[in-house]
Amino acid sequence: MNKVFIGHGQSDHGYAMLVLFNSMNKTINEVNVCPSQPMYKLMNRELLRQLMQRTGTGSSITIRELAAACGLSHGTISNLLTGVRDEIPCDNAHALTAAIGVDVLILFTPTGRCIPAIPQADDPAGEAVSA
């Protein structure tokens, strides 16, 4: 294993990790890395549209009003409604659903894995690692 000098401070840690990563000659798909936030997939665009017509308060909300209420761009909301995009980070999904007054699991489902289901070199059976 290559030795890496790690200085003081958080930015040095990131640099050291990058050097170590590069020295191991692995592609990003081979490294078990959790994303900074899990992604949530919109399960039903039409339901989102219907819930925007009658929110938890009984009133309707426009794309721009919803975007302002949950701290997202109106383009992100529009992309969800048109199907251009179907996943957003966990915090954004929670903010969006809170703004229209429903539980996050009404519209979204968590996606992805922190540990990919690929065989590990030290697994003699060659079976996938479960999360």
Side-chain angles (χ1 to χ4, degrees), residues 48-59:
L48 173 57
R49 191 176 305 280
Q50 289 173 359
L51 291 170
M52 288 174 62
Q53 292 172 0
R54 186 173 173 92
T55 65
T57 63
S59 61

Side-chain angles (χ1 to χ4, degrees), residues 26-61:
K26 289 188 174 186
T27 66
I28 192 68
N29 293 331
E30 295 173 311
V31 178
N32 294 336
V33 178
C34 285
S36 59
Q37 268 194 58
M39 298 297 284
Y40 273 50
K41 181 176 180 174
L42 179 64
M43 297 306 296
N44 188 328
R45 294 190 315 260
E46 256 331 288
L47 181 57
L48 173 57
R49 191 176 305 280
Q50 289 173 359
L51 291 170
M52 288 174 62
Q53 292 172 0
R54 186 173 173 92
T55 65
T57 63
S59 61
S60 65
I61 191 167

Side-chain angles (χ1 to χ4, degrees), residues 1 28 38 96:
M1 176 177 272
I28 192 68
L96 188 151

Side-chain angles (χ1 to χ4, degrees), residues 3-126:
K3 293 184 180 180
V4 178
F5 173 74
I6 300 177
H8 298 287
Q10 189 171 0
S11 63
D12 292 336
H13 177 70
Y15 176 74
M17 292 302 290
L18 180 61
V19 170
L20 182 61
F21 172 79
N22 288 336
S23 71
M24 295 170 64
N25 295 322
K26 289 188 174 186
T27 66
I28 192 68
N29 293 331
E30 295 173 311
V31 178
N32 294 336
V33 178
C34 285
S36 59
Q37 268 194 58
M39 298 297 284
Y40 273 50
K41 181 176 180 174
L42 179 64
M43 297 306 296
N44 188 328
R45 294 190 315 260
E46 256 331 288
L47 181 57
L48 173 57
R49 191 176 305 280
Q50 289 173 359
L51 291 170
M52 288 174 62
Q53 292 172 0
R54 186 173 173 92
T55 65
T57 63
S59 61
S60 65
I61 191 167
T62 67
I63 291 173
R64 288 185 185 271
E65 290 169 339
L66 178 57
C70 64
L72 298 175
S73 71
H74 69 276
T76 297
I77 305 295
S78 179
N79 287 343
L80 287 169
L81 289 167
T82 59
V84 170
R85 182 175 185 176
D86 66 352
E87 289 186 356
I88 58 175
C90 173
D91 287 350
N92 293 351
H94 282 274
L96 188 151
T97 55
I100 57 176
V102 299
D103 184 75
V104 71
L105 296 178
I106 299 296
L107 285 172
F108 292 93
T109 187
T111 62
R113 298 171 53 104
C114 282
I115 301 172
I118 58 173
Q120 300 296 314
D122 58 347
D123 184 7

